[in-house]
């Protein structure tokens, strides 16, 4: 079965004024679709290689699989991380874990914000849970597949590639990050955290 572009869980204009409709349409319909198309192309090429027992381009298509597959997965999680009328902060077990691992919610938010602003070039800022370590951590992910930690579960994902914000915020990434906090879907993040805790 080919990989498919998921529908957004809200209307294109639902995140206004924090994320504009035009950017959302281009980001989802063009950029995310590009990763899905690249992922399908790489998967099909590797399937053909297996059938033909011809692996001359295996290194190339494994890279394409990692890049486009990571882009597809992170974008899918990112869309779910956004919501109109979102609450200000997490609660319950997730908030308790944040306070345990970062000292306070405000300390976490500051570190996440600074990490997102400091990503070099294109990439992501991610709040992840490590089941083996039983703790939360903030990761900077350059491109999609670089600087990852094996076994970590992404909970909160912020896309800081320029295509995510340039039409509205131009080169003002910190302004875009501040807008993100106003549409952060903490209910979804809490659900992901709860699922991770059950899978220890």
């Amino acid at each position: 079965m080919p990989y498919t572009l998921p529908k957004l869980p809200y209307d294109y204009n639902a995140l206004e004024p924090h994320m504009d409709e035009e950017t959302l349409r281009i980001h989802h319909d063009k950029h995310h679709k590009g990763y899905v198309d690249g992922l399908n192309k790489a998967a099909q090429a590797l399937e053909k290689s297996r059938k033909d027992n011809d692996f001359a381009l295996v290194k190339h298509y494994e890279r394409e699989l990692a890049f486009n597959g990571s882009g597809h997965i992170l974008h899918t999680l990112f869309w779910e991380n956004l919501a109109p009328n979102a609450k200000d902060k997490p609660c319950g077990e997730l908030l308790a874990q944040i306070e345990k691992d970062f000292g306070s919610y405000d300390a976490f938010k500051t570190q996440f914000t600074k990490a997102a602003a400091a990503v070099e070039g294109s990439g992501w800022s991610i709040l992840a849970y490590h089941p083996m370590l039983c703790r939360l951590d903030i990761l900077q992910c350059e491109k999609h597949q670089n600087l990852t930690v094996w076994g970590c579960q992404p909970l909160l994902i912020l896309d800081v590639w320029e295509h995510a914000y340039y039409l509205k915020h131009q080169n003002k990434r910190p302004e875009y990050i501040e807008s993100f906090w106003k549409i952060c879907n903490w209910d979804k993040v809490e659900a992901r955290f709860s699922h991770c805790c059950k899978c220890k």
Side-chain angles (χ1 to χ4, degrees):
M1 293 291 293
Y3 297 94
T4 58
L5 180 69
K7 289 185 177 180
L8 291 176
Y10 34 75
D11 292 333
Y12 287 101
N13 63 355
L15 304 178
E16 295 272 8
H18 310 296
M19 188 172 289
D20 62 291
E21 178 178 353
E22 186 179 6
T23 296
L24 200 59
R25 284 186 182 277
I26 294 171
H27 193 174
H28 176 267
D29 297 359
K30 304 293 185 184
H31 287 282
H32 189 171
K33 185 178 184 299
Y35 297 121
V36 173
D37 292 344
L39 178 58
N40 282 319
K41 181 180 177 182
Q44 290 164 7
L46 287 167
E47 181 180 4
K48 186 175 186 304
S49 293
R50 291 190 298 271
K51 287 179 180 177
D52 298 344
N53 198 29
D54 179 6
F55 293 96
L57 294 176
V58 67
K59 185 174 182 179
H60 168 74
Y61 283 113
E62 290 288 358
R63 281 189 189 141
E64 289 293 296
L65 193 74
F67 179 77
N68 289 293
S70 296
H72 171 46
I73 291 167
L74 287 173
H75 274 95
T76 300
L77 297 175
F78 175 64
W79 304 132
E80 295 174 356
N81 263 163
L82 307 175
N85 306 313
K87 61 188 182 185
D88 291 338
K89 60 190 292 188
C91 59
E93 292 181 355
L94 177 59
L95 180 58
Q97 189 75 43
I98 286 173
E99 291 172 342
K100 175 185 174 187
D101 294 336
F102 296 97
S104 69
Y105 173 74
D106 288 339
F108 150 74
K109 184 177 176 182
T110 297
Q111 183 180 338
F112 189 96
T113 297
K114 297 298 184 181
V119 170
E120 293 183 356
S122 300
W124 306 76
S125 186
I126 299 172
L127 173 67
Y129 181 69
H130 301 279
M132 291 182 67
L133 305 177
C134 298
R135 63 166 289 121
L136 298 167
D137 203 359
I138 293 169
L139 308 177
Q140 292 174 305
C141 179
E142 294 176 4
K143 295 184 180 177
H144 298 304
Q145 73 281 26
N146 294 354
L147 302 180
T148 57
V149 176
W150 295 110
C152 75
Q153 302 290 316
L155 302 178
L156 175 67
I157 297 94
L158 174 57
D159 188 346
V160 291
W161 291 62
E162 286 188 342
H163 64 240
Y165 61 88
Y166 205 83
L167 290 181
K168 182 175 178 64
H169 299 285
Q170 287 84 49
N171 64 334
K172 301 168 189 169
R173 186 188 287 183
E175 184 179 279
Y176 159 72
I177 297 167
E178 187 58 35
S179 293
F180 164 75
W181 292 115
K182 297 180 175 112
I183 51 176
C184 178
N185 186 356
W186 284 112
D187 290 336
K188 176 60 72 173
V189 181
E190 288 166 5
R192 287 184 189 144
F193 177 67
S194 178
H195 177 75
C196 287
C197 289
K198 291 175 184 175
C199 297
K200 289 181 190 176

